[in-house]
Amino acid sequence: LRRAFQQSVSAAVLVSLAHKRYERRRLAAMEIEKVVRGLVYNRELERVKGILLLLSDDYVRSTNEDARKGGVVAMAACAIGLKKAHEMQGLATKVTECRDLILASVVHACQDNSQRVRYYATESLFNVIKVLPALAVEHFYILYEILRSLWADVDVDVRSGAELFDKKLKEIVIGAINSGQFDADSCVPLFARFLHMKNKPTKRLTLTWLQEFSEKLIGAPLLEFLHLFLNDVFAMLADPNQSIRQLSLQFLNSMLPKLLMKNEDFDDAGTYNKIDFDKILQSLVATMEHPDPFVRKVAMFWVSRIVQAHMSDEKRIGSKPDQNHDAHGTMQRKTSNPHLTAASISVRNALDHVLPGLLLSIGDTFQTRATVKDTFLPDQTTHYLAEQTNNSLQNNVRQEGRCYIPHLGGFVVALREELDTPGGLSGKNRSAKERKPYRMDVKADGTGIESTGWFRNEEEKGEEVETSGHENILSRLCALEWIVLLYDFVVPDTLKDEYAEEFISPVIQLLNNAPEVIVLKSLEVLSKITVSKARAEFENTPSLSATYSSNILFQSRSKENKEQPQEDGDNVQSHPMTDANAIYALGVLSLEEKLHFSRNREVFATLIKSHAQNPSSISTLSRIVRHMCSLQPPEFVYVSFGLELNLYISKIMKQSVNVFKTEGPHSKIIQTEDAKVRKGLEFATRFVQVLSNVLLTSSETVHFRTLLKCCIAKKKSATKDERKAQLFHILLKTFAHDPVAAISFCLWCGAFRTASSYIHEIDPLDLNLAFFMELDQLIEFIERPLFRDLHLKMLECDEQPDMEGSGAMLYRCLKSILMVLPQSTSYNILQERLLSVARFRQCAVQLQGMTYVNIRGTSAEVFVHRIIEVRKLHCNTRWRSIRADSLEPISVSDYGDINIDAGRRNWLGYANEDEEVAGKEKYSRKNRAKQYQDSSNSGYNELHKIGKVSLDERDEVIDKSKHHETNGRKKELEGDAKSWKEYWAGDGDDGDDDGDDDGDGDDDDDDEDEED
C-alpha cells in the first residue's frame, strides 16, 4: 500500500487488477492508463517507471494466473499512456527505458504456461506495437522470435491473436523499410535461416513475410538475397502440407517476373545490378537434382525463362562481340553496346554452371500421371523446357562463340562430368519413388512411418548402383552436341588439338554396350573434332609426318636389321608399318577424300587400348568399325588401325623382352609377363578377325573392296598399282595376326602364290580347332557369289603359271587348304570344287613343269616373310604357355643361348663333363663284355656285324638264323625233359644233394642247359 501510495495508484485499482473477472481487470487497467498519462504530462517519468516495475514484479511474474492476466493488460494500458511521451524534449532516455520495460514484460508473458495468459499477452503485444511502432522496428528480431512461437501455439485463440499481431508487425516493418527507417538487409538473412528449419509453422510464417516483402517493398530488395533461400523455397514445393506448397509456388511466381525485367524497367537500377544471377542459376541447377518431378519442372521453368529473357531477345546477329575480359576472365560490358545489359552479362557468365543442370533435365523423361492434375504448366514437361533452353543457349553460342572463350574450362568440366560418370550426371542420383500417405510396412512399435512425397531409393552399404547403358540417352546426345558446338564456334584454332584430346577417351568409353544412336553420334563427334578442315592444316597433319612415334620405333628397328647381316641373301624390303609407307599407300585416294583424314591417330590408339582392357567389348567392335568407315575413308581407317595395332603389340613385346633379360627363367614375373603377352596377342587375333569380317561383308567397305580386288594379281608398273601394292603390304602385316584372315585377304587381293607358300610353311602350333573352324567359314565364303570370280580363275590358261595371280597358283592354294583340312563337310565341298577342274589343272601343271614353285627374290617372299614374322610371335607365345604347364622348368625366350649338352647332363644326373665321360666309358666296357659273352656262348651274329650283302646272301643268312634258333629251341626242350625224368626217377632230396657236389650251388644239369 505504501508503494501504491507513492506511485499514485489506489489500492482498489490494484486489487481489481488481479480480479478473476475480465471486466474488473479492464477497468483497473484503464485507471492505470489515466494515471500514467497524467504523470507523462507532468514529466514525472520516474514515477511511471515505478508503476511499470510494480506491474512487472508483482503482477506479470506473479504466481496468480489472474494477476498475470491483469498485469499484461495494464502494461498495454501504460503503453497507450506513453504514446505522446516521445514528443517531449529531454526525456528520450527515460521514455526508451519505459518502453523497453513494457516490451520485456509482455514478451515474458507470451511464454507463460497458461494458454489464457499467452492469449492476453498476444493481445497486449499487438496494442503495444500499435501505439509504439518504433518499438517494433527497434526490436524486430525479438518480436519475430515471439511471433514464431505464437504462430505454432497449440491454442486456437493464441494462433488467431498471433495472426493479428503478424499483420500489424508486417505493416509496421514494410512501412519502415519503404520510408528508409529500416533496412531489408537486416531481416532477409534471418528469413533464410528460418526457411532452412524443419518446423513447418515457421516455414509457413516466413513464406508469408517473403511474399509481403515481394509485393509491397519498393525496389525489390529481395532479389539481392534470393540465392540465400531459393533452394529451401523450391524444396517446400514438395512438402506434404498443401498450404506450404501453395505459398511457396505463389512466392516463386511473384519473384520470377522481377528477374526477367531489364535494367530500364526498374526505378533503382543500382539495386538490380546487385542481383547475382550466377548464384541464382547455381541454386536452380542444384534444385534440378531433387527427387520430386514437380520441383525439377519448376526449377527448369525458371532457368528457361531467365535464359530466354536475357539472351534470346538480344539483337546481336552479325555483329562482333563488344566485350573485354578482366583478369579473372569475366566479361565486362562496354558502354558502346546498348543491347548488352548487366543481366545479360551475368547470365552469360553463369552458362557453364547451367550446362550440368541442362544435361540433367534433358534426360528427365518423367510424365505426369493421368490420375493427378498438374496445375502448373500441364502441357509442358521438364524435358520440353530443357530442350527450349538448350536451343536458346546453342543459338547464342553460335552467334557470339568467341565471347565464351574465358568460360571454356567450365564447359569442359561439365561435359567431362557427364561423360565420365557412369550413367551420366543422373547416375549419381538414384531413381526416386513416391511414398503414399499410408504405408503398409508400419511396425507394431510405431516405427516405419515415413513422410509422403518423392524420395531417392536407399542404397545399401557396399552395394553399387547398376546403371544401364540405355539410360540417359538424351543427356548423352546433348553433351555430344555441345562438344562439337564448342569445337566449331568457341575453341580457338590453337587449342583445338588440346580440346580434342580432352574428349577422345571419354567419348570412346561411351561405345561400350551403348545403344546404336549413342555409338553413331559418338563416332560422328570423334570424326568432327579430329578432322582438319583447312587444306593447309591437313598437309601439316602430325599423323602423316615422318616423325610420328610409330615411325620412329620402326625406323630404329630397321637400323638394327641393317646392322645384322642377311642370311642367304634374303630379299626383305623395309618395314611397311611406317607413316611414310602409309602416306604413299593412301595416295590412291583423291584430295577430297584425304580432307576427311583425322588430325592424328589418337582415336584409333585409344579404341585399341579400350577394347584391350575390356575384352568383352570386342563384340561391339564390328559396329564401331562400320560406322567409322561411313564417316571417314575406309582405307584410312584400316591403315590407322593397322599401324596402331602393330605399335600396341610392339610395345608389349618390347616390354616382355626387357623383362626376360632382367629376370631369371624361373621368376614369377616372367610368368605374369607371358600371360600379358599371350592376352595381347589373343586380343590382336580377335581384333583382326573383326576387321577381316567387316572388310569382306560390310556395305560401308564396298569401295575399299573394289580398290583391293586382285590388286596384286593385276599389278603393273603404274604408280597407282604400286600404291595399291603398298596398301596390301601394310594390311597383310596387320591381318597376319590371324592366319585365316591373312589367307582370305591374299585370296581377295590376288596374292595366290603368297597364300600357297605360307600354307606350306605354316607352323604346326597354328593348326588348332579355332583355325579349322575359321577355315570352314572361309570355304563357305568362297562358295558365295563374293568369290565367284575365283571359280572361273582356275579355268584360265596362264602364260606364266608361277606368277602371283595365276589360276595355277589359285588351284595350288586351294589344294593346299584341302590337304590341311580334316575330313568334314567343308572338306567335301572344296574337294568337289577342285575335282571339277582337276584334270585341266593337271595338264597345265605337267605342260609348264610346275612341280616346284620358287618364290625366292619375288614379292611373294616378302609377303610370306611378313606373315611368318607375325605368326612366330603367336606360336612362340603359345609354345611358352605349353611349356609353362609342363613339369619342366619354364623356358626362356632366347633359345639360342641354351646349352643342350649341359641341360642333358643335368637331366641325367651328372655333376660335370668328366663324370659324364667316365660314366659313358664304364657303360661301354660293360656293353662290350656282355656282347662278347653272348657271342661266345651262342655264336649268334648281331645285325650290326652284317655288312653289305646281296639279296641272295641276305636270304641265306636269314635261313641260317632261323635254323639255328630252331635247333637251339629243340635242345633246350630235350634238356628240360631229361632233367625232369631224372628228378622223378630218383629221390628228389638226394638228387639235389648229389647234383651239387662241387659246392658252388649250381647243378651240372643246369650248366649243361646253359651251355646248350
Side-chain angles (χ1 to χ4, degrees), residues 453-471:
W454 289 82
F455 296 87
R456 299 288 182 192
N457 290 331
E458 297 182 357
E459 179 184 1
E460 299 181 0
K461 295 182 179 180
E463 182 179 345
E464 298 181 356
V465 180
E466 297 182 359
T467 57
S468 174
H470 296 274
E471 296 178 356

Side-chain angles (χ1 to χ4, degrees), residues 289-336:
E289 300 180 2
H290 198 279
D292 195 301
F294 182 72
V295 177
R296 299 197 301 267
K297 181 179 179 180
V298 178
M300 191 63 244
F301 175 73
W302 268 57
V303 175
S304 177
R305 294 296 304 276
I306 291 174
V307 170
Q308 293 180 13
H310 295 292
M311 302 189 69
S312 299
D313 296 336
E314 298 175 9
K315 300 179 181 179
R316 295 184 297 273
I317 302 177
S319 62
K320 295 183 179 180
D322 194 12
Q323 296 91 11
N324 57 2
H325 303 86
D326 59 5
H328 301 285
T330 304
M331 286 178 288
Q332 304 294 335
R333 183 181 62 167
K334 288 186 178 181
T335 57
S336 60

Side-chain angles (χ1 to χ4, degrees), residues 60 141 206 366 372 531 675 719 740 773 916-917 997:
V60 175
Y141 302 106
T206 307
F366 176 80
V372 179
V531 172
T719 304
V740 179
M773 293 178 66
E916 182 183 8
V917 172
D997 296 338

Side-chain angles (χ1 to χ4, degrees), residues 583-709:
I583 295 173
Y584 182 77
L586 294 175
V588 298
L589 301 177
S590 62
L591 182 58
E592 296 299 327
E593 292 176 320
K594 292 180 182 179
L595 291 177
H596 292 85
F597 287 2
S598 297
R599 186 182 297 105
N600 52 47
R601 296 195 299 267
E602 185 66 24
V603 174
F604 302 92
T606 308
L607 268 172
I608 291 174
K609 293 179 182 177
S610 174
H611 286 82
Q613 295 173 358
N614 186 16
S616 60
S617 63
I618 201 72
S619 58
T620 62
L621 181 61
S622 176
R623 179 177 56 177
I624 295 173
V625 175
R626 290 198 309 270
H627 288 323
M628 294 184 72
C629 292
S630 64
L631 298 171
Q632 291 181 301
E635 296 83 355
F636 174 75
V637 173
Y638 270 76
V639 169
S640 300
F641 271 130
L643 294 176
E644 292 301 328
L645 180 63
N646 196 74
L647 181 60
Y648 174 76
I649 297 298
S650 300
K651 289 181 179 179
I652 294 178
M653 299 306 299
K654 185 176 180 180
Q655 183 179 359
S656 63
V657 170
N658 295 334
V659 172
F660 291 153
K661 290 180 180 179
T662 56
E663 300 293 335
H666 304 286
S667 175
K668 292 184 178 180
I669 300 179
I670 290 185
Q671 299 180 7
T672 305
E673 194 63 29
D674 276 338
K676 182 178 179 181
V677 173
R678 184 168 61 255
K679 182 179 179 181
L681 292 175
E682 290 176 356
F683 162 74
T685 301
R686 298 179 63 188
F687 194 91
V688 168
Q689 290 173 358
V690 173
L691 293 180
S692 177
N693 188 28
V694 172
L695 175 63
L696 296 176
T697 61
S698 177
S699 59
E700 289 80 4
T701 58
V702 173
H703 180 268
F704 189 27
R705 287 200 301 269
T706 306
L707 181 67
L708 292 175
K709 184 69 174 179

